Amino acid sequence: MPRTALLLYILALPVLYDSVERLFYVWGILTEKVGWLQQRYLDAPWLSTAHLLPGILFFLTGPLQTIPALRSRPLRFWHRLSGYIYILCAVLSCFAIMVMVFTFPAAGGGLTIFGTYAICLALLLSLTLALWAIRRGDVKTHRLFMMASLTLGLTVATARWIIYGVNLVIPVEFTVAFAPASIAALAINGAIYGWVFRNDLKSFLAKTRLALRR
């Protein structure tokens, strides 16, 4: 497996593990007593499934978009198929979580609600621009915004790694740490994305400025 995809899967491991575990509780596969944080998912099983199951597929198909071999002509069908699954799951999971933060108490309160909507709306906009670009045959811009959406989605994974790291030094409650960790994760992911795609971003901004002047 290419290095980039492998690193992305490793980054996504905590959120994949949490999502699968929560689904198992929601579906009754795991029946142990849980705390209030997990109980929220059990109290809204259909809504939780609508967020968690597409979310798992989002994190499984997202890294596939970085594998060059899948974009080659013999395997291009699988690249497109995984891409459409990725986009559909992103849309479903985003809409579900935007409802969930009002259905039951959001960990982190109002800041988490604001952050959830900001990230989800930015992610959905990125996917819209990615689809618009590929329909025009602009592969470079398509890749730029597909990776932007994955970068935004991986915020929840990076936040968990930050919380794990902080807990090695100072024990903190997940609900207390989640909102600030998410802000830090968004900044870290954004900085890495900006550096990796700096040339593509410059090219896109230049084309956008030129188009606006016309």
Side-chain angles (χ1 to χ4, degrees):
M1 180 180 294
R3 185 182 303 174
T4 300
L6 180 60
L7 289 174
L8 291 174
Y9 279 125
I10 293 172
L11 177 61
L13 274 178
V15 72
L16 283 170
Y17 176 84
D18 284 353
S19 298
V20 171
E21 182 184 52
R22 284 169 178 167
L23 269 184
F24 281 2
Y25 278 113
V26 168
W27 293 348
I29 299 172
L30 295 175
T31 57
E32 293 86 351
K33 187 177 180 180
V34 297
W36 76 270
L37 194 66
Q38 301 282 37
Q39 185 62 44
R40 300 173 307 160
Y41 292 88
L42 275 66
D43 293 339
W46 289 105
L47 188 56
S48 297
T49 298
H51 169 60
L52 294 170
L53 186 57
I56 290 169
L57 292 173
F58 172 88
F59 288 114
L60 290 177
T61 54
L64 297 178
Q65 303 304 300
T66 68
I67 300 177
L70 284 180
R71 297 194 294 270
S72 64
R73 188 173 298 276
L75 300 175
R76 194 169 296 168
F77 168 80
W78 299 107
H79 172 73
R80 289 175 177 171
L81 178 62
S82 64
Y84 282 123
I85 293 172
Y86 167 83
I87 291 171
L88 176 62
C89 289
V91 172
L92 293 174
S93 190
C94 278
F95 278 117
I97 193 63
M98 287 193 289
V99 175
M100 285 172 67
V101 291
F102 289 106
T103 302
F104 50 68
L111 187 58
T112 296
I113 294 173
F114 173 80
T116 297
Y117 269 75
I119 290 172
C120 285
L121 291 175
L123 195 156
L124 293 172
L125 176 61
S126 296
L127 291 175
T128 300
L129 292 172
L131 284 172
W132 170 77
I134 200 62
R135 299 231 177 235
R136 296 173 62 249
D138 188 347
V139 175
K140 184 181 290 187
T141 301
H142 169 73
R143 183 185 67 162
L144 184 67
F145 283 108
M146 285 292 280
M147 290 302 100
S149 68
L150 184 57
T151 299
L152 290 162
L154 283 167
T155 297
V156 292
T158 304
R160 280 166 169 76
W161 284 111
I162 292 172
I163 294 171
Y164 297 157
V166 170
N167 268 291
L168 293 175
V169 182
I170 306 172
V172 292
E173 290 288 336
F174 182 85
T175 53
V176 174
F178 183 71
S182 296
I183 294 171
L186 183 60
I188 292 169
N189 284 14
I192 294 172
Y193 170 83
W195 181 79
V196 172
F197 293 99
R198 58 191 181 280
N199 293 329
D200 290 343
L201 283 167
K202 289 178 183 177
S203 176
F204 173 76
L205 291 173
K207 286 192 298 184
T208 301
R209 283 195 296 266
L210 183 61
L212 291 173
R213 289 173 185 170
R214 291 178 180 173

